[in-house]
Structure formats: C-alpha cells, structure tokens
Amino acid sequence: MRISKSMLRRLSAGLFALVFLLAIAVFPALADTGTYSISSYNVTLEPQNNGQVRISIDQQWKVLSGDIPWVTVGLPNSNFSVENYGGAASKVAPANSSGFSGVRVDLDQDYLPGQTFDIKFSVLQSNLLERLTADKKWRINYTPGWYDQAAIGSLQIQL
C-alpha cells in the first residue's frame, strides 16, 4: 500500500490536532487554579528526643482571583510523616515529586475571590537536625516553604 503526499499531510495535521487537544486537556489541571495572598504564616519547630523535629504550620490565606480547592506547602525534605491537621484542611498528604518536598492540602471547599481560609497541620520531620560533634552543638538549617507568586503579610518562625 502506498501513501500519497497529500495523505501524509492530512495525517500529520491530524496528529498535530490530537497532540494539541491532549495538551489543552492535561496542562490546565497542572496550572495554578487561582491567585492568593497569605496574611499570616506561622511555623513552630520542636526538636524531639529521637532526633526528629515536629514542624507545626498555621497559615491564613485570601483568594484574590480564580478558585482554590487545594494548596501545597513545602517542607525541608521528603522524610516526614503527617501527624494532624485542622482549620480548612480536609486532607493533608505527602506530595513529594520532581524535586519538591512537601504536602498537598485539600481544602474543605473550593474557595473563591474575597474568601479567606486557615490551614493548620503538623509533621514529624527527619534529617533536619545536624550534630556538630566538635562544637558539642546541634544545628537546624530550616527554610520555610515559599510562594513565588504571593505576597506574605507576616512570617514568624519559633524554635
């Protein structure tokens, strides 16, 4: 069976259209669903006797545009377990992938512009404490999860 040049052109156009439609269907699901600001971001670090650190996070969000059914919060590394959660968080689960370490927080509803919500959760984090044997000290090198596209009103970290 021979394929003519015109048939190849139609086949190529059809494949292009199929790839384009698949891209439209997949990529919006990966994009941000809305814009927001974080009015308050509080973190408490509590070193435990077993070398882990309990990290408790409390954030207050405001939706500026779009809708927000879930959010992510970065953590120092992927070695953690979720202890508890509250506020508007209906589920908090690890979301470690592609170099990101943190949690996905599913919300109790889809929040719309002008609405605010609070999320609270705690994790037990491993591999955060570093023992400086020569100095007889311990060190914690902690950077809170950040948001490239959002203003943060206040950030407080307690140890």
Side-chain angles (χ1 to χ4, degrees):
M1 175 180 192
R2 284 173 136 214
I3 299 176
S4 69
K5 286 183 181 182
S6 66
M7 185 179 230
L8 278 175
R9 273 188 235 120
R10 278 189 239 136
L11 184 59
S12 295
L15 283 174
F16 175 78
L18 180 62
V19 169
F20 179 75
L21 290 173
L22 285 172
I24 288 174
V26 171
F27 290 118
L30 300 176
D32 285 342
T33 56
T35 60
Y36 49 86
S37 63
I38 300 173
S39 59
S40 178
Y41 188 169
N42 298 304
V43 181
T44 302
L45 303 167
E46 299 174 70
Q48 306 297 296
N49 290 334
N50 63 3
Q52 294 179 309
V53 177
R54 176 173 289 113
I55 301 175
S56 299
I57 295 179
D58 182 353
Q59 297 177 328
Q60 297 165 350
W61 296 63
K62 181 175 183 177
V63 182
L64 303 176
S65 70
D67 64 307
I68 299 184
W70 56 270
V71 297
T72 57
V73 181
L75 293 169
N77 61 57
S78 61
N79 301 311
F80 64 86
S81 59
V82 177
E83 283 192 309
N84 57 53
Y85 52 89
S90 65
K91 180 181 176 185
V92 177
N96 304 312
S97 67
S98 303
F100 174 77
S101 297
V103 294
R104 174 181 164 140
V105 180
D106 291 324
L107 302 174
D108 59 356
Q109 69 180 55
D110 194 359
Y111 287 86
L112 302 173
Q115 292 182 310
T116 60
F117 60 91
D118 298 344
I119 59 170
K120 299 174 186 194
F121 67 90
S122 295
V123 298
L124 270 179
Q125 180 76 59
S126 297
N127 302 332
L128 185 58
L129 284 174
E130 179 183 2
R131 187 173 188 178
L132 306 173
T133 309
D135 298 332
K136 297 181 182 176
K137 295 179 183 178
W138 289 88
R139 174 172 54 198
I140 293 179
N141 186 4
Y142 176 77
T143 303
W146 63 89
Y147 301 89
D148 293 338
Q149 306 299 319
I152 296 177
S154 70
L155 170 64
Q156 181 178 1
I157 300 173
Q158 296 179 342
L159 177 61

